[in-house]
């Protein structure tokens, strides 16, 4: 048969761009087609014969050398050009993908900053890896853990340095705030540290002016922070100037240090020489005997290559050697790494409010889950849309594209979209960072997170996600024979449709768990903020006492009670919302004339005659302290918990009993109804109230709800007459409780924001997937409408599949949410009961949002004109 010459254009294209493998594939497809065509279809057989002749011509005349291929750079530029065109062509899908990934990545960046800030606490100290804190644990009567203090008695530092060769340096410090005066300026300082000079060897002080180490070694000396220097002296040189502390001692400024960063567990503006505190206790000879005055934080650094377990192992012997054989029965010393304090420590008397490593894991998990949801959206839509590109793949293969070219094209397109999302996410992070800083109260530095190594990781991650998402069209579609894809016989397949359904279920399972968790957290916070505490905390003004005020304590109280806006005034050593740390150990009760130890550690709360009345506390049995009974200075009032722990059946049995507590024998004159003095995260402790009319740390003033501002002005005027040298310090009790739960509230709000974003991303993916499904089933929808189906019926048919996926997500999410939130609530001594309310609410929220998302697209398709879809056929 004579060879038929095809047109010049076809010959040229096939000669230079078709490789032998592609020719064989085309020829195989043509043979299959030729066999199934009816004999009567002469036109189509003629077209096939023409194609066979073209291939034969190419086989005979194809030159041995192909034209020089494009260089790598030109190929990449071409890939990117085609990728941009395709993204522009499919605007809706591209927008959904980019928006989802951008929001997900931005959330990860912000949460990553928060986590990075928390993990970096105290790591700026040069010797942080060798720095440790000594803590003291007092055991309960049953031998279990009782009161765990972050501070210890002053003799420990002295003797530990002598007894442990592994210790390079050790230092004590104590925070005693007070009034500081410079010329006519007076300040109330709450961060005034008194420390051993060795503190400079342990913590990293950046010297700005003067000397720090030598300065602290001098008597009556002080070193101050840069911010304190600006506050006291403005632009003047502070070195050599003198400030006065509490009208008791003049201190010369010897040095200025740079402010410690926010990521420091110890924050202070002034550091004075420890000798002042030692002298106030009667001198070093007295201090060395004070084994139970646990007010001194104690840090030490180990020598290089020292064995920490050896030091820990010798602590029991150390206690026995200095405190006697029975010392380890009631208490023990423990050692804690400096860098573990912020996240792994929540002891009874911490210097500041610490965080918890559990929340780091929680927020890291949230960041990861949000990113997973965003990536699932992308991969879902990429795989769903890929089947629509089958004909595109076929045409590219007909025009000579090798399989490798197609794979590279799809992968470049996918990676490009992810990179665009990364850059947009960076912009979102920068725009929202100021608000995020303000909300968290942290000095978040984006530069700390975006280091060279981190940027490389982000780029590597983008590459990975892009390759994974682009792998389906790249490797799945390019393997099919040309004629098959051109005839539209390639679809996403049931297996891939099932995968997409699984991914949608996974997304909504995560989202529903987060919604349930958010509701439970809000319920718990609302519970602890509104639970009856056993006393009245509203309009309770707290005034801090000082040496001048204590000299005229009763007179000051008397003047305040004369004010029309003041209902009552009471004094106490501690204020509700603080921790009950004072204890004289267990009490002894008299049984048949003999003393019997109760083994119950009682918390000592020292109050005046009017404290219980001011707080409107309920006395179940007996009476309050009374001025009519002078012996009340040796009598006691117990709370219900103390009565139960001691072993009395009820309050009536306790009243009138004689007990000995702290070496004082007295009578139980009353029993109080239990009250929540500390946070609701702590159980109510057994409390014994003692009478103190002379030295109370604070006054509680019950203010009438009328004109509070005017009453405060009057109180300040009276105060200035009794304590002219001390500025008044006051706040309100409800503010103190808000501060107490501020961290929990902040975390709850963060949880809510990120849970909302998770739901948004899941619905965004569902919206895109629904849009794709509507496009795929457009002809089916049109035919159903032609056959008489109503809009509601069509919406129901299209929505049913996706609604069922959300229902399955709920079934999976609820047991997991129940488990996680039950475990979280176990951390609160007083908590809500976990009911089905948050689960039903989450189901309604998730169901409505999902249904609305689905309905928008399905309704649009249901009301469209059928002819618009059917005319294509």
């Amino acid at each position: 048969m004579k060879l038929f010459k095809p047109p010049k254009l076809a010959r040229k294209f096939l000669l230079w761009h078709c490789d032998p493998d592609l020719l064989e594939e085309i020829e195989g497809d043509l043979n299959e087609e030729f066999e199934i065509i009816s004999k009567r279809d002469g036109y189509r057989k003629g077209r096939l014969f023409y194609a066979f002749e073209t291939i034969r011509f190419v086989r005979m005349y194809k030159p041995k050398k192909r034209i020089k291929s494009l260089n790598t750079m030109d190929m990449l530029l071409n890939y990117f050009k085609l990728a941009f065109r395709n993204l522009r062509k499919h605007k809706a899908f591209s927008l959904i993908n980019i928006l989802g990934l951008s929001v997900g990545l931005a959330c990860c960046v912000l949460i990553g900053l928060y986590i990075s800030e928390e993990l970096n606490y105290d790591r700026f100290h040069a010797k942080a890896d060798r720095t440790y804190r000594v803590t003291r644990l007092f055991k309960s009567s049953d031998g279990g853990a009782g009161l765990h203090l972050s501070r210890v008695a002053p003799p420990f530092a002295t003797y530990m340095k002598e007894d442990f060769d592994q210790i390079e340096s050790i230092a004590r410090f104590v925070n005693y705030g007070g009034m500081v005066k410079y010329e006519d300026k007076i300040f109330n300082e709450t961060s005034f540290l008194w420390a051993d000079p060795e503190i400079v060897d342990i913590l990293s002080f950046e010297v700005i002016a003067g000397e720090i180490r030598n300065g602290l070694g001098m008597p009556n000396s002080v070193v101050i922070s840069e911010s304190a220097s600006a506050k006291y002296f403005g632009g003047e040189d502070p070195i050599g100037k003198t400030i006065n502390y509490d009208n008791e001692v003049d201190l010369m400024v010897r040095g200025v240090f740079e402010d410690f960063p926010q990521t420091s567990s110890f924050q202070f503006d002034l550091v004075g020489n420890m000798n002042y505190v030692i002298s106030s206790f009667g001198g070093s000879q007295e201090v060395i005997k004070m084994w139970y005055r646990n007010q001194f934080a104690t840090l030490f650094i180990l020598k290089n290559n020292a064995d920490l377990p050896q030091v820990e192992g010798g602590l029991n012997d150390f206690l026995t050697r200095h405190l006697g054989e029975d010392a380890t029965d009631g208490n023990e010393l423990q050692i804690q790494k400096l860098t573990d304090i912020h996240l792994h420590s929540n002891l009874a008397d911490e210097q500041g409010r610490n965080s918890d490593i559990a929340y780091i894991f929680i927020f890291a998990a949230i960041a990861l889950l949000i990113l997973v949801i965003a990536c699932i959206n992308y991969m879902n839509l990429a795989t769903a849309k890929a089947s629509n590109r089958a004909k595109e793949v076929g045409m590219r293969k007909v025009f000579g594209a090798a399989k490798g070219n197609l794979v590279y094209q799809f992968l470049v397109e996918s990676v490009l979209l992810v990179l665009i999302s990364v850059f947009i996410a960076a912009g979102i992070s920068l725009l929202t960072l100021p608000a995020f800083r303000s909300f968290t109260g942290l000095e978040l530095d984006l530069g700390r997170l975006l280091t060279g190594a981190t940027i490389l990781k982000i780029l590597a991650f983008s590459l990975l996600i892009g390759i994974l998402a682009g792998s389906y069209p790249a490797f799945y579609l390019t393997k099919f024979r040309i004629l098959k894809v051109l005839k539209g016989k390639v679809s996403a397949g049931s297996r891939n449709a099932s995968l997409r359904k699984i991914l949608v279920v996974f997304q909504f399972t995560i989202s529903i768990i987060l919604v349930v968790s958010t509701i439970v957290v809000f319920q718990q916070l609302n519970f602890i903020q509104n639970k009856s505490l056993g006393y009245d905390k509203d309009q309770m003004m707290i005034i801090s006492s000082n040496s001048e005020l204590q000299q005229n304590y009763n007179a000051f109280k008397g003047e305040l009670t004369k004010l029309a806006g003041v209902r009552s005034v009471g004094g106490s050593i501690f204020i509700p919302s603080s921790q009950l740390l004072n204890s004289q150990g267990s009490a002894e009760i008299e049984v048949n004339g003999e003393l019997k130890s109760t083994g119950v550690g009682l918390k000592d709360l020292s109050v005046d005659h009017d404290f219980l009345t001011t707080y409107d506390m309920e006395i179940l049995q007996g009476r309050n302290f009374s001025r009519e009974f002078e012996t009340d200075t040796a009598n006691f009032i117990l709370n219900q918990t103390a009565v139960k722990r001691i072993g009395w059946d009820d309050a009536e049995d306790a009243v009138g009993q004689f007990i000995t507590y702290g070496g004082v024998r007295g009578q139980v004159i009353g029993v109080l109804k239990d009250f929540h003095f500390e946070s609701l995260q702590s159980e109510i402790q057994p409390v014994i109230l003692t009478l103190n009319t002379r030295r109370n740390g604070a006054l509680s003033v019950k203010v009438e709800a009328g004109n509070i501002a005017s009453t405060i002005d009057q109180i300040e005027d009276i105060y200035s007459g009794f304590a002219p040298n001390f500025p008044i310090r006051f706040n309100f009790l409800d503010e103190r409780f808000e501060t107490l739960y501020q961290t929990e509230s902040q975390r709850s709000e963060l949880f809510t924001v990120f849970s909302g974003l998770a739901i948004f991303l899941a619905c965004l993916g569902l919206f895109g997937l629904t849009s794709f499904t509507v496009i795929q089933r457009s002809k089916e929808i049109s035919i159903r409408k032609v056959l008489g189906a109503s809009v509601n019926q069509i919406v129901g048919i299209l929505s049913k599949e996706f609604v069922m996926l959300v229902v399955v997500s709920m079934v999976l999410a609820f047991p997991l949410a129940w488990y996680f939130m039950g475990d979280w609530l176990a951390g609160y001594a007083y908590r809500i009961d976990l009911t089905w309310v948050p689960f039903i609410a989450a189901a309604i929220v998730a169901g409505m949002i999902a249904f609305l998302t689905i309905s928008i697209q399905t309704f649009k398709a249901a009301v469209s004109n059928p002819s618009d879809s059917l005319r294509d056929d």
Side-chain angles (χ1 to χ4, degrees):
M1 183 171 62
K2 184 177 178 182
L3 184 67
F4 175 79
K5 280 192 173 185
K8 181 177 179 182
L9 182 61
R11 294 202 311 271
K12 181 178 179 181
F13 183 85
L14 290 171
L15 279 172
W16 302 115
H17 295 282
C18 287
D19 57 29
D21 293 336
L22 182 60
L23 288 173
E24 288 181 10
E25 183 181 338
I26 296 173
E27 193 170 16
D29 288 340
L30 292 173
N31 279 323
E32 289 181 8
E33 186 73 8
F34 193 83
E35 291 176 0
I36 63 176
I37 293 177
S38 169
K39 292 182 179 181
R40 290 177 295 176
D41 196 347
Y43 174 75
R44 290 186 68 184
K45 285 199 172 185
R47 299 273 297 184
L48 290 175
F49 180 75
Y50 173 84
F52 280 128
E53 290 296 306
T54 302
I55 292 172
R56 287 177 59 198
F57 175 84
V58 172
R59 289 188 186 280
M60 291 180 62
Y61 292 101
K62 187 173 180 66
K64 295 181 180 179
K65 289 186 178 181
R66 300 180 65 178
I67 60 172
K68 184 179 179 181
S69 62
L70 295 173
N71 61 51
T72 304
M73 184 56 67
D74 290 336
M75 290 176 63
L76 283 175
L77 289 174
N78 189 54
Y79 289 149
F80 276 106
K81 184 187 298 183
L82 292 174
F84 272 115
R85 288 176 180 173
N86 191 64
L87 293 178
R88 197 165 58 245
K89 179 181 178 182
H90 304 283
K91 295 183 180 68
F93 284 99
S94 299
L95 180 62
I96 291 173
N97 274 331
I98 291 172
L99 179 61
L101 274 177
S102 300
V103 172
L105 287 168
C107 288
C108 285
V109 169
L110 294 176
I111 293 177
L113 279 173
Y114 175 81
I115 292 174
S116 174
E117 190 82 5
E118 294 288 282
L119 292 176
N120 274 293
Y121 260 75
D122 299 311
R123 297 184 185 277
F124 67 93
H125 296 293
K127 301 175 183 177
D129 59 325
R130 296 190 286 131
T131 304
Y132 299 86
R133 178 173 70 172
V134 184
T135 67
R136 192 171 191 179
L137 173 64
F138 289 90
K139 300 175 183 178
S140 60
S141 57
D142 59 1
L147 181 65
H148 196 173
L149 300 175
S150 69
R151 288 174 268 196
V152 298
F156 285 108
T158 303
Y159 289 113
M160 283 184 70
K161 183 66 170 72
E162 295 176 0
D163 290 13
F164 293 97
D165 294 336
Q166 298 91 340
I167 293 179
E168 179 180 307
S169 184
I170 191 166
R172 303 161 299 183
F173 60 90
V174 61
N175 189 354
Y176 285 156
M179 186 269 294
V180 178
K181 184 189 298 184
Y182 172 68
E183 294 180 345
D184 58 343
K185 300 177 183 177
I186 302 176
F187 301 95
N188 274 317
E189 292 292 352
T190 58
S191 56
F192 201 130
L193 224 62
W194 301 89
D196 292 322
E198 289 80 8
I199 192 68
V200 179
D201 301 329
I202 299 172
L203 302 180
S204 294
F205 288 78
E206 296 294 332
V207 182
I208 294 178
E211 294 182 293
I212 305 297
R213 178 68 163 83
N214 293 335
L216 276 179
M218 301 178 187
N220 297 336
S221 62
V222 66
V223 295
I224 63 176
S225 68
E226 186 177 12
S227 59
S229 175
K231 179 170 69 173
Y232 284 93
F233 308 107
E236 300 177 15
D237 182 7
I239 305 302
K241 289 187 168 56
T242 300
I243 61 176
N244 179 270
Y245 172 76
D246 256 2
N247 288 330
E248 293 181 0
V249 61
D250 289 329
L251 304 170
M252 181 174 289
V253 178
R254 302 286 185 179
V256 179
F257 59 89
E258 187 177 306
D259 289 5
F260 274 23
Q262 192 179 33
T263 53
S264 174
S265 295
F266 308 115
Q267 295 288 344
F268 43 84
D269 289 321
L270 303 98
V271 187
N273 189 295
M274 177 63 77
N275 287 332
Y276 168 75
V277 175
I278 293 175
S279 63
S280 68
F281 286 135
S284 58
Q285 294 302 316
E286 292 297 320
V287 169
I288 206 69
K289 303 173 187 176
M290 297 165 53
W291 287 99
Y292 288 94
R293 196 172 189 106
N294 299 293
Q295 298 178 338
F296 294 75
T298 302
L299 299 178
F300 69 89
I301 52 174
L302 288 177
K303 295 177 181 177
N304 285 317
N305 303 319
D307 186 12
L308 177 63
Q310 187 177 352
V311 176
E312 292 177 317
L315 291 176
N316 282 342
D317 291 338
F318 173 81
L319 281 176
T320 302
R321 185 162 53 251
H322 294 285
L323 293 178
E325 293 293 334
D326 299 330
T328 56
D329 293 340
N331 69 102
E332 66 179 54
L333 294 181
Q334 294 185 1
I335 292 175
Q336 185 179 46
K337 195 169 185 179
L338 175 65
T339 52
D340 288 342
I341 291 176
H342 182 65
L343 294 176
H344 300 273
S345 176
N346 190 19
L347 306 187
D349 58 342
E350 291 286 2
Q351 301 286 322
R353 191 174 299 278
N354 291 342
S355 186
D356 192 329
I357 190 64
Y359 286 102
I360 298 300
F361 289 126
I362 289 172
F363 281 110
I366 290 175
L368 180 61
L369 291 175
I370 287 176
L371 188 58
V372 166
I373 289 174
C375 292
I376 286 174
N377 280 351
Y378 179 43
M379 297 176 72
N380 246 345
L381 293 177
T383 55
K385 190 164 65 72
S387 59
N388 277 358
R389 303 186 65 181
K391 291 183 180 180
E392 174 191 341
V393 172
M395 291 302 298
R396 288 182 184 277
K397 293 183 77 172
V398 165
F399 282 103
K403 183 176 181 178
N405 300 124
L406 292 171
V407 169
Y408 292 144
Q409 177 60 52
F410 279 113
L411 293 182
V412 167
E413 184 178 313
S414 182
V415 170
L416 176 64
L417 191 145
V418 176
L419 288 175
I420 292 173
S421 302
V422 169
F423 285 110
I424 294 176
I428 294 174
S429 301
L430 287 172
L431 289 174
T432 56
L433 187 57
F436 194 63
R437 279 197 192 108
S438 175
F439 179 75
T440 59
L442 299 175
E443 298 172 358
L444 302 172
D445 181 11
L446 194 60
R448 180 186 297 171
L449 186 65
L450 297 181
T451 60
T454 307
I455 291 173
L456 288 176
K457 290 177 183 177
I458 292 173
L459 292 176
F461 169 79
S462 305
L463 190 64
L464 176 64
I465 294 298
I467 290 173
L468 289 175
S471 60
Y472 174 79
F475 296 103
Y476 181 73
L477 292 178
T478 55
K479 72 179 182 181
F480 289 106
R481 302 176 73 86
I482 294 175
L483 201 62
K484 190 174 182 180
V485 294
L486 289 178
K487 292 178 68 177
K489 293 183 179 180
V490 177
S491 64
S494 59
R495 183 179 64 182
N496 297 291
S498 299
L499 175 62
R500 287 196 295 274
K501 291 177 182 178
I502 291 171
L503 293 177
V504 169
V505 168
F506 180 72
Q507 280 183 309
F508 270 90
T509 299
I510 295 171
S511 302
I512 292 168
I513 290 174
L514 291 175
V515 171
V516 171
S517 302
T518 300
I519 296 172
V520 172
V521 169
F522 265 108
Q523 283 183 321
Q524 175 63 17
L525 285 176
N526 184 65
F527 171 77
I528 62 179
Q529 288 170 351
N530 295 287
K531 185 180 185 301
S532 174
L533 301 175
Y535 51 83
D536 184 7
K537 65 180 177 65
D538 296 330
Q539 290 93 48
M540 191 67 73
M541 180 180 180
I542 309 299
I543 302 175
S544 298
S545 187
N546 53 63
S547 57
E548 283 188 342
L549 209 58
Q550 288 174 356
Q551 291 173 7
N552 301 284
Y553 180 80
N554 290 322
F556 177 66
K557 275 187 61 179
E559 289 299 317
L560 292 184
T561 54
K562 294 177 183 178
L563 295 176
V566 173
R567 187 184 304 175
S568 180
V569 182
S572 59
I573 192 68
F574 293 120
I575 293 298
S577 75
S578 60
Q579 293 177 309
L580 287 169
L581 298 176
N582 285 3
S583 176
Q584 303 294 329
S586 62
E588 295 177 309
I589 61 174
E590 293 187 11
V591 180
N592 298 323
E594 295 183 2
L595 289 177
K596 178 183 176 181
S597 176
T598 61
V600 178
L602 299 176
K603 301 294 184 181
D604 183 5
L605 178 58
S606 181
V607 300
D608 68 6
H609 293 97
D610 304 305
F611 180 82
L612 301 185
T613 305
T614 302
Y615 278 90
D616 197 20
M617 290 184 174
E618 183 180 352
I619 298 178
L620 298 177
Q621 197 71 33
R623 62 176 177 83
N624 188 9
F625 294 118
S626 173
R627 292 180 177 84
E628 297 179 2
F629 296 91
E630 295 182 1
T631 56
D632 275 357
T633 53
N635 288 333
F636 309 105
I637 296 176
L638 303 176
N639 68 344
Q640 285 176 286
T641 298
V643 170
K644 292 175 184 176
R645 297 276 184 89
I646 289 174
W648 288 308
D649 293 333
D650 53 37
E652 189 175 357
D653 290 340
V655 174
Q657 297 287 345
F658 282 92
I659 65 175
T660 300
Y661 179 75
V664 177
R665 180 181 181 273
Q667 193 176 27
V668 177
I669 61 171
V671 175
L672 275 178
K673 183 179 180 180
D674 275 344
F675 54 91
H676 294 277
F677 201 88
E678 301 176 339
S679 163
L680 266 73
Q681 288 176 301
S682 305
E683 292 185 357
I684 293 176
Q685 300 292 318
V687 180
I688 183 168
L689 283 76
T690 57
L691 182 61
N692 181 0
T693 59
R694 291 178 297 176
R695 294 183 64 86
N696 283 303
L699 283 90
S700 301
V701 182
K702 183 67 175 178
V703 180
E704 295 287 356
N707 194 347
I708 295 178
S710 175
T711 302
I712 292 174
D713 290 339
Q714 295 176 56
I715 291 173
E716 289 178 337
D717 289 340
I718 295 173
Y719 175 92
S720 62
F722 284 92
N725 295 311
F726 290 86
I728 188 171
R729 288 190 296 165
F730 72 90
N731 54 24
F732 281 84
L733 190 59
D734 53 358
E735 295 173 352
R736 292 170 65 96
F737 272 98
E738 285 180 12
T739 303
L740 195 64
Y741 301 116
Q742 183 178 5
T743 303
E744 284 81 1
S745 298
Q746 185 185 86
R747 289 169 181 159
S748 172
E749 292 176 24
L750 281 176
F751 212 76
T752 304
V753 170
F754 291 123
S755 298
L757 286 173
I759 281 283
F760 167 74
L761 292 175
C763 289
L764 196 65
L766 191 60
F767 180 83
L769 207 55
T770 308
S771 303
F772 169 78
T773 302
V774 167
I775 293 171
Q776 290 288 86
R777 300 177 66 178
S778 58
K779 290 182 175 59
E780 175 194 339
I781 295 169
S782 300
I783 293 171
R784 286 182 181 276
K785 288 195 69 175
V786 169
L787 295 178
S790 67
V791 171
N792 289 338
Q793 288 175 324
I794 294 174
V795 171
I797 291 170
L798 295 176
S799 303
K800 182 180 178 181
E801 177 184 343
F802 293 104
V803 171
M804 285 304 299
L805 295 181
V806 177
V807 172
V808 172
S809 301
M810 293 178 187
V811 173
L812 294 175
F814 287 166
L816 293 172
W818 186 282
Y819 171 77
F820 289 131
M821 296 320 296
D823 185 62
W824 179 75
L825 286 172
Y828 286 85
Y830 302 93
R831 52 187 177 270
I832 61 169
D833 294 324
L834 193 56
T835 65
W836 284 103
V837 172
F839 298 88
I840 294 172
I844 293 172
V845 170
M848 287 184 62
I849 293 175
F851 183 74
L852 288 173
T853 303
I854 297 165
S855 299
I856 290 172
Q857 284 298 100
T858 53
F859 182 79
K860 182 180 177 182
V863 299
S864 63
N865 191 340
S867 62
D868 293 337
S869 176
L870 294 175
R871 72 175 55 171
D872 293 338
D873 289 347

